[in-house]
């Protein structure tokens, strides 16, 4: 005789499908000025769909603008476009801007002029950033931790106390 166990739920009871992790999202943009606001709008929709906290969305969108602008000005040859890819992870979001141009972008040394601040902003706002080669071109990427409270490093970097208030604020 075989001893079997019976499942405790009724046979006809509906079950919810398991929650699915968000899928990476990407979009191609032409080599034109209106692609930058288009990239920002696309990123905003995706981040909101994923439930990213509003306090982090602004940082991500500023970096999307800077990376897309840099790609259009320096990395996308005539007749080509750029690819914006957003990748969700358990505790972070990664932004990638793919272009087919050569060169490796770098944060300027010293005080940048009016047009050299994009990567400086990305380096300051993102938790990590970098450049990966591809054929042809490169991928400039940045990552953002999805924590509710700024880290001590980020707080210090922006002149904030650990509670998020300005360093010179009254206790």
């Amino acid at each position: 005789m075989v001893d079997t166990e019976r499942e405790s739920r009724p046979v006809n009871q509906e079950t919810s499908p398991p929650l699915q992790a968000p899928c990476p999202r990407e979009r191609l943009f032409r080599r034109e000025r209106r692609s930058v606001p288009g990239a920002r709008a696309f990123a905003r929709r995706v981040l909101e769909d994923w439930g990213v906290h509003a306090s982090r969305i602004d940082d991500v969108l500023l970096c999307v603008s800077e990376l897309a602008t840099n790609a259009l000005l320096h990395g996308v040859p005539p007749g080509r476009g750029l690819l914006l890819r957003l990748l969700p992870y358990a505790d972070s979001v990664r932004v990638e801007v793919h272009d087919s141009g050569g060169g490796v972008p770098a944060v300027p040394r010293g005080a940048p002029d009016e047009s050299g601040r994009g990567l400086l902003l990305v380096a300051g706002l993102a938790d990590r950033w970098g450049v990966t080669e591809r054929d042809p071109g490169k991928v400039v990427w940045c990552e953002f931790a999805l924590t509710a409270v700024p880290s001590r490093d980020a707080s210090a970097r922006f002149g904030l106390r650990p509670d998020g208030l300005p360093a010179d604020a009254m206790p």
Side-chain angles (χ1 to χ4, degrees):
M1 177 175 219
V2 176
D3 189 21
T4 61
E5 289 186 26
R6 184 176 172 156
E7 209 173 325
S8 61
R9 68 179 172 86
V11 174
N12 293 331
Q13 181 178 354
E14 276 189 48
T15 58
S16 300
L19 292 175
Q20 298 292 320
C23 295
R25 303 272 305 272
E26 61 185 39
R27 184 167 172 198
L28 289 168
F29 292 91
R30 293 181 178 170
R31 186 180 189 251
E32 55 192 25
R33 288 189 184 272
R34 65 181 173 189
S35 290
V36 174
R40 235 186 354 258
F42 169 74
R44 178 179 294 281
R45 283 192 306 275
V46 170
L47 296 169
E48 288 173 350
D49 286 350
W50 290 346
V52 174
H53 193 273
S55 65
R56 232 16 201 166
I57 288 178
D58 290 337
D59 292 345
V60 176
L61 294 180
L62 181 56
C63 291
V64 165
S65 293
E66 294 300 333
L67 295 181
T69 298
N70 283 351
L72 291 171
L73 292 176
H74 308 293
V76 179
R80 301 268 179 119
L82 68 91
L83 173 71
L84 171 61
R85 180 177 290 153
L86 301 166
L87 299 116
Y89 295 108
D91 58 355
S92 64
V93 170
R94 181 178 175 115
V95 173
E96 296 179 351
V97 175
H98 299 237
D99 69 58
S100 55
V104 177
V107 174
R109 296 182 189 268
D113 61 12
E114 188 67 27
S115 65
R117 298 183 183 159
L119 287 178
L120 197 58
L121 286 170
V122 172
L125 293 173
D127 295 295
R128 295 180 51 211
W129 80 278
V131 181
T132 305
E133 290 182 28
R134 68 173 213 149
D135 189 20
K138 63 191 165 298
V139 178
V140 184
W141 57 268
C142 55
E143 293 180 356
F144 300 85
L146 300 179
T147 56
V149 179
S151 71
R152 289 184 175 268
D153 292 339
S155 297
R157 189 170 43 206
F158 294 108
L160 302 175
R161 300 187 322 212
D163 60 5
L165 295 174
D168 59 354
M170 299 297 283

